[in-house]
Amino acid sequence: GCSLLFPMEQLFERYVEACLRRTLPEGAVLKASAKSRHLAQHEGQPWFTLVPDFLLTVGGQMRVLDTKWKRIDQMQNNAGDKYRLRQEDFYQLFAYGQRYLRGAGELLLIYPKTSTFSAPLPVFEFSDTLRLWVVPFDLEMGQLTLGSIPLYESSAC
């Protein structure tokens, strides 16, 4: 038999981008695969490029958005299971927050909406000024499920 494989993480990222572009408010700018920051400098040279999936700028405020094609589970909300989130994803978003947002602002980690993940998780706070939101993306409706999360508001939260 023949098989056909698709890079689902790339398809998901591109679908989220297309849907976000359709719903952007006037004046908002969505930049995909930004490559303007690095994790470190070494002997005067930038090392380890940081490439978030999207940078969203609304009213002068930048937000970092990153997609993950993984299943998480809202019912596993304890210190052991951690919703099935991965620690390395949090390290990645923390680095984005430090370099792209200078340690202050909003980060969104976007996962597909499933029967076990249908609403945003409570906020994760890296500090008093840097927050991470974990949100579902409804594949059928083509939209983020944000609840009261401030994605398009131009004022800081």
Side-chain angles (χ1 to χ4, degrees):
C2 293
S3 63
L4 183 62
L5 301 175
F6 294 99
M8 290 306 297
E9 62 282 347
Q10 291 176 10
L11 290 174
F12 180 57
E13 179 182 330
R14 289 185 181 135
Y15 181 60
V16 168
E17 178 183 5
C19 293
L20 287 175
R21 287 195 187 283
R22 283 196 315 261
T23 61
L24 287 177
E26 189 173 327
V29 176
L30 184 69
K31 183 176 181 183
S33 300
K35 298 179 184 177
S36 61
R37 304 284 192 274
H38 295 82
L39 189 58
Q41 291 282 325
H42 179 69
E43 296 183 346
Q45 295 181 350
W47 280 33
F48 309 115
T49 305
L50 296 172
V51 187
D53 292 338
F54 309 108
L55 297 178
L56 174 64
T57 305
V58 181
Q61 296 284 325
M62 184 186 298
R63 288 155 179 82
V64 176
L65 290 70
D66 208 61
T67 59
K68 301 293 179 194
W69 181 253
K70 300 174 185 173
R71 291 180 63 94
I72 63 173
D73 188 342
Q74 287 176 280
M75 300 308 293
Q76 294 184 6
N77 59 343
N78 58 67
D81 296 320
K82 298 176 183 70
Y83 302 103
R84 296 176 58 191
L85 295 166
R86 300 190 54 140
Q87 186 170 339
E88 55 265 26
D89 294 339
F90 274 63
Y91 285 142
Q92 179 184 23
L93 271 289
F94 180 75
Y96 293 163
Q98 295 305 309
R99 292 296 187 227
Y100 284 92
L101 303 178
R102 297 186 177 137
E106 310 291 328
L107 305 153
L108 271 80
L109 195 48
I110 302 167
Y111 291 89
K113 182 178 180 180
T114 65
S115 61
T116 61
F117 180 51
S118 59
L121 298 180
V123 67
F124 292 88
E125 297 175 343
F126 288 122
S127 69
D128 290 341
T129 58
L130 186 63
R131 302 186 309 175
L132 171 66
W133 302 92
V134 177
V135 299
F137 186 87
D138 188 324
L139 294 167
E140 292 179 16
M141 300 296 292
Q143 64 188 19
L144 288 169
T145 305
L146 292 172
S148 62
I149 296 172
L151 180 62
Y152 294 124
E153 289 78 16
S154 61
S155 59
C157 301

